[in-house]
Amino acid sequence: MSDMKEKVLQALKENTQEYVSGEALSELMGVSRTAVWKYISELKKEGYVIESSPKKGYRIMPVYDMLNEYEIRWGLKTKIIGRDIRYFNEIDSTNNYAKKIAYEGCDEGTVVVADCQTAGRGRLGRAWDSAGGKGIWMSVVLKPSIAPENVQIITLAASVAVARAIAGTCGIRTGIKWPNDIVLDGKKVCGILTEMNSEMERVNFLVLGIGINVNHEEGDFPDEIKDRATSLKCYADSGREASKKEGHGSVFPRSQIIGRILLELEEMYSKINKGFTDEIIDEWRSYSATLGRKVKITGRDGEYEGTAKDVTRDGKLVVDCTDGITREVVSGEVSVRGLMGYV
Amino acid sequence: MSDMKEKVLQALKENTQEYVSGEALSELMGVSRTAVWKYISELKKEGYVIESSPKKGYRIMPVYDMLNEYEIRWGLKTKIIGRDIRYFNEIDSTNNYAKKIAYEGCDEGTVVVADCQTAGRGRLGRAWDSAGGKGIWMSVVLKPSIAPENVQIITLAASVAVARAIAGTCGIRTGIKWPNDIVLDGKKVCGILTEMNSEMERVNFLVLGIGINVNHEEGDFPDEIKDRATSLKCYADSGREASKKEGHGSVFPRSQIIGRILLELEEMYSKINKGFTDEIIDEWRSYSATLGRKVKITGRDGEYEGTAKDVTRDGKLVVDCTDGITREVVSGEVSVRGLMGYV
């Protein structure tokens, strides 16, 4: 968004209760009233609803789910994460773009957000449906001063940050499936893909890819994943049959959720850098939808079943296996009974 | 090198005992004798010594250290590593280039070689002097099917491959400082920098950067590193005072050493993929210039001294520390008493 257009938008958003006259705007900006009118037209094209009255001027109406760079930055309280935001209406994959700019040397805390991904990916190269207008598809570039073998704590911290942000902005309490899937009603609502560029002793950069199904309707999910995937809206609507009859049910403001995720992530990241990782693990445990449950682990060296007992200080999953051995799981496919279609 | 020029070169190299007539070459290639003459001129410009006789034709003379793509490929027996070789007279850093093409999706086994690096790097971002005409500066792209936490075995295997290749082509027995520096007379002769692009569960690609001081004279090393760095040539010359008086001492053929490294690396890599990692660790132990020695470890959580006792199956260094604790070292700075200036 151009600086001038952003200034117009800001003036309007700071005065939602009254009309702002074209003259006032033109004086504020130091441009002609025709120029002001041009910026207003552009804002309308981007989806903003702006009432105009020849006598009173312009007034912006609330639009609940407006996703763009400006809306994400609006009210953002972070210092590092989000100081550079790259917004795209459409992109192949925010993680691909983030890796590219990280490789070229972008600042730590750079955030890539897209309304639509044409080639979104989940873990292990799996496709991740990320159509436009409904989800949060974002990537955050971090340059943590930790050894590669300790990166797991960041992926766990990211899931706690997302869970906190969803609770704080949508009032929905989610669960976390180890290591960092966010679940609701036993279905996946958010996945986090951590990609890393490292040497043996240090991490050069890390890209946290966060995908959240926000305003999807039930019909948006293909039949084959309906029993494993849901959205914040589906979940909220299912508990609001009454309100649903009147309107469209809940629509959640993605820019606001993103802003909150960045804030929570920055707090988590600061804890990690200070070495307060135990606090993060404790909070992860409080969200856990994994501990105490039956799990199946499919690793490179075979398949094990057992009960998830705990997570270690560095984020490994401790499983009491049915063969009598207690294993610490670092990576691999973990199915949790009752979650995402595993029965 | 163009295909045609390479054909001329091949015909000459296959007949080093006799002259090859311009007519024979022109027939073989299906081009005019003038064209043949043009290719010969180009080869001479690249450093090949080719005698020409108006009556007998052309004859190639042995040039001991000729580094280019063709010479590396000549006689190369590998199947995967080196099927794509990118040679540069000069480049910023072979690792940077390798990471770039790996990110863009190059084949596994692609090898990047440069005669000179203008911005060569060692571990932890340290500068690595890599002037032209004397060293081996190369990077190999691998896509191993292992979890990120198991990558250490590949870096150890790479050092064994280099030690084998140096022994096989130069007749010099080197030692390995954990995890993968190659030493001679207590000085560093080769460093290996492993960089990795990974997700939590899998490695997307790995770049093995291998830098070897081959034909450097003692005067090539700046004073401040003279007691810590050496070259294969310096080492060989130091034991050959007699021959030195007559000529230049040893000059080692870099292309041939590279070919041998690729071959040994492919064998190591095949062992890793088959799970025969214990064999690699055993062989690493046989080259070790670390086990049984006093070491100092500088990690993120402090400094420890002790005696290097063993390496684990996954490549960690086991150290009996002076505080009575036995530690397994994954990463960090390790100084070995007697090596590279640590006394």
Side-chain angles (χ1 to χ4, degrees):
Chain A
M1 194 176 285
S2 78
D3 281 358
M4 292 300 263
K5 201 161 65 181
E6 200 172 315
K7 267 192 182 169
V8 173
L9 182 57
Q10 190 175 344
L12 293 176
K13 285 192 73 153
E14 282 169 355
N15 296 280
T16 53
Q17 301 303 310
E18 60 208 86
Y19 282 86
V20 182
S21 74
E23 201 179 330
L25 283 173
S26 117
E27 259 176 45
L28 178 77
M29 323 263 309
V31 298
S32 71
R33 288 183 62 169
T34 316
V36 168
W37 177 84
K38 209 191 83 200
Y39 293 128
I40 296 278
S41 301
E42 283 178 21
L43 287 168
K44 282 181 176 173
K45 262 186 217 147
E46 288 180 20
Y48 287 99
V49 179
I50 299 168
E51 284 187 354
S52 56
S53 147
K55 281 187 189 162
K56 301 187 223 162
Y58 304 102
R59 189 169 70 147
I60 196 162
M61 306 301 289
V63 178
Y64 211 53
D65 178 32
M66 177 68 73
L67 184 68
N68 62 42
E69 181 191 335
Y70 175 78
E71 293 290 329
I72 297 168
R73 247 191 294 122
W74 178 264
L76 188 64
K77 290 175 196 75
T78 58
K79 287 199 184 90
I80 296 166
I81 298 179
R83 58 185 162 180
D84 185 355
I85 294 173
R86 317 274 180 105
Y87 174 79
F88 299 88
N89 286 319
E90 188 176 295
I91 199 170
D92 59 341
S93 141
T94 58
N95 256 36
N96 281 359
Y97 184 84
K99 279 192 288 183
K100 185 172 160 285
I101 60 174
Y103 181 73
E104 290 163 4
C106 76
D107 283 339
E108 171 161 73
T110 298
V111 175
V112 183
V113 180
D115 184 46
C116 169
Q117 289 187 119
T118 55
R121 280 178 305 110
R123 290 183 311 115
L124 303 171
R126 288 169 192 153
W128 177 282
D129 189 51
S130 28
K134 309 211 164 170
I136 290 176
W137 323 125
M138 65 188 278
S139 298
V140 180
V141 177
L142 297 176
K143 301 183 178 179
S145 172
I146 61 175
E149 65 268 22
N150 298 328
V151 160
Q152 183 77 297
I153 188 73
I154 296 186
T155 80
L156 266 67
S159 66
V160 173
V162 172
R164 274 189 183 187
I166 291 174
T169 51
C170 312
I172 297 174
R173 171 100 191 162
T174 54
I176 303 176
K177 170 181 174 286
W178 187 88
N180 57 14
D181 284 333
I182 309 261
V183 293
L184 273 174
D185 275 347
K187 296 174 182 180
K188 185 157 165 175
V189 72
C190 165
I192 298 176
L193 173 65
T194 309
E195 296 191 66
M196 170 164 80
N197 187 297
S198 63
E199 298 170 18
M200 293 314 293
E201 291 93 347
R202 69 167 185 184
V203 173
N204 294 324
F205 65 79
L206 189 141
V207 171
L208 276 180
I210 299 174
I212 311 179
N213 299 329
V214 181
N215 291 322
H216 298 64
E217 312 272 352
E218 254 180 58
D220 290 329
F221 297 107
D223 282 342
E224 62 271 26
I225 64 163
K226 265 204 168 74
D227 59 337
R228 287 180 285 125
T230 188
S231 74
L232 296 176
K233 178 170 169 48
C234 287
Y235 178 80
D237 288 351
S238 67
R240 292 188 194 174
E241 289 306 318
S243 66
K244 221 177 153 185
K245 277 169 202 155
E246 290 169 42
H248 303 290
S250 345
V251 173
F252 294 109
R254 287 176 291 163
S255 293
Q256 211 176 307
I257 300 173
I258 290 171
R260 184 66 176 265
I261 292 173
L262 301 184
L263 184 68
E264 302 292 352
L265 204 53
E266 184 156 296
E267 196 190 316
M268 291 287 147
Y269 193 53
S270 152
K271 278 190 187 179
I272 290 170
N273 286 332
K274 285 175 190 154
F276 300 159
T277 53
D278 286 355
E279 286 181 25
I280 293 169
I281 294 291
D282 282 342
E283 192 168 348
W284 187 93
R285 281 193 192 98
S286 78
Y287 283 104
S288 159
T290 309
L291 302 183
R293 298 208 195 185
K294 300 274 179 216
V295 296
K296 186 176 77 180
I297 295 121
T298 312
R300 277 182 178 72
D301 53 343
E303 206 176 277
Y304 307 101
E305 297 201 15
T307 304
K309 196 171 126 192
D310 199 7
V311 275
T312 63
R313 292 183 59 178
D314 52 355
K316 296 190 188 92
L317 185 67
V318 184
V319 179
D320 282 338
C321 294
T322 49
D323 59 7
I325 301 172
T326 297
R327 289 183 172 82
E328 291 191 358
V329 182
V330 185
S331 65
E333 212 49 25
V334 175
S335 304
V336 177
R337 191 157 292 175
L339 298 187
M340 291 155 62
Y342 178 62
V343 287
Chain B
M1 195 175 285
S2 75
D3 281 358
M4 292 299 264
K5 202 161 64 181
E6 200 172 315
K7 267 193 184 168
V8 173
L9 183 57
Q10 191 176 344
L12 293 176
K13 285 191 74 152
E14 283 169 354
N15 296 281
T16 53
Q17 301 303 311
E18 61 208 84
Y19 282 85
V20 182
S21 74
E23 200 180 329
L25 282 172
S26 117
E27 259 176 46
L28 177 76
M29 323 261 309
V31 298
S32 71
R33 290 183 63 166
T34 316
V36 168
W37 177 83
K38 211 191 80 201
Y39 293 127
I40 296 278
S41 301
E42 283 178 22
L43 286 169
K44 283 181 176 174
K45 263 186 217 149
E46 289 179 22
Y48 287 98
V49 180
I50 299 169
E51 285 186 353
S52 55
S53 147
K55 281 188 189 162
K56 301 188 226 162
Y58 304 103
R59 189 170 70 148
I60 197 162
M61 305 302 288
V63 178
Y64 211 52
D65 179 30
M66 177 68 72
L67 184 67
N68 63 41
E69 182 191 333
Y70 175 79
E71 292 290 330
I72 297 167
R73 246 189 296 122
W74 177 264
L76 188 63
K77 290 174 196 76
T78 58
K79 286 199 184 91
I80 295 166
I81 298 178
R83 59 186 161 179
D84 184 356
I85 295 173
R86 316 274 180 107
Y87 174 78
F88 299 88
N89 286 319
E90 188 176 295
I91 200 170
D92 59 341
S93 140
T94 58
N95 257 34
N96 281 358
Y97 183 85
K99 280 192 288 183
K100 184 171 160 284
I101 60 173
Y103 182 73
E104 290 164 4
C106 77
D107 283 338
E108 170 161 75
T110 299
V111 175
V112 183
V113 179
D115 184 47
C116 169
Q117 289 185 120
T118 54
R121 281 179 303 111
R123 290 182 310 115
L124 303 171
R126 287 169 192 154
W128 176 282
D129 188 54
S130 28
K134 308 212 165 170
I136 290 175
W137 324 124
M138 65 188 277
S139 297
V140 180
V141 178
L142 298 176
K143 301 182 178 179
S145 173
I146 62 176
E149 65 268 22
N150 297 328
V151 160
Q152 182 78 296
I153 189 73
I154 296 186
T155 80
L156 266 67
S159 66
V160 173
V162 172
R164 274 190 182 186
I166 291 175
T169 52
C170 311
I172 298 174
R173 171 102 191 162
T174 55
I176 303 176
K177 170 180 173 290
W178 186 89
N180 57 14
D181 283 334
I182 308 261
V183 294
L184 274 175
D185 275 346
K187 297 175 183 179
K188 185 158 166 173
V189 73
C190 164
I192 298 176
L193 172 64
T194 309
E195 295 191 66
M196 167 164 81
N197 187 296
S198 63
E199 298 170 19
M200 295 312 295
E201 291 93 346
R202 69 167 185 185
V203 174
N204 294 324
F205 64 79
L206 190 142
V207 171
L208 277 179
I210 300 173
I212 311 178
N213 298 329
V214 180
N215 291 321
H216 299 64
E217 311 271 352
E218 254 179 58
D220 290 328
F221 296 107
D223 281 343
E224 64 270 26
I225 66 164
K226 266 205 166 77
D227 59 337
R228 286 180 286 124
T230 189
S231 74
L232 296 175
K233 178 170 169 51
C234 288
Y235 178 81
D237 289 351
S238 67
R240 292 189 193 175
E241 289 305 316
S243 66
K244 221 176 152 185
K245 278 170 199 155
E246 292 169 40
H248 303 289
S250 344
V251 173
F252 293 108
R254 288 177 290 162
S255 292
Q256 210 176 309
I257 300 173
I258 291 172
R260 184 65 177 263
I261 292 173
L262 301 185
L263 184 68
E264 301 292 353
L265 203 53
E266 185 156 294
E267 196 190 316
M268 291 288 147
Y269 193 52
S270 151
K271 278 190 187 180
I272 290 170
N273 286 332
K274 285 178 190 153
F276 300 160
T277 53
D278 286 356
E279 286 180 25
I280 294 170
I281 294 291
D282 281 344
E283 192 167 348
W284 187 94
R285 281 194 192 98
S286 78
Y287 282 104
S288 161
T290 310
L291 301 183
R293 298 211 195 184
K294 300 273 181 216
V295 296
K296 185 174 75 178
I297 295 122
T298 312
R300 277 183 179 72
D301 53 342
E303 205 176 276
Y304 308 99
E305 297 201 13
T307 305
K309 197 172 123 190
D310 199 7
V311 275
T312 63
R313 291 183 60 178
D314 51 355
K316 296 190 187 91
L317 184 67
V318 184
V319 179
D320 281 338
C321 294
T322 49
D323 60 7
I325 300 173
T326 297
R327 289 184 173 81
E328 290 191 358
V329 182
V330 185
S331 64
E333 212 49 25
V334 175
S335 304
V336 178
R337 190 156 292 175
L339 298 187
M340 291 155 63
Y342 178 62
V343 287

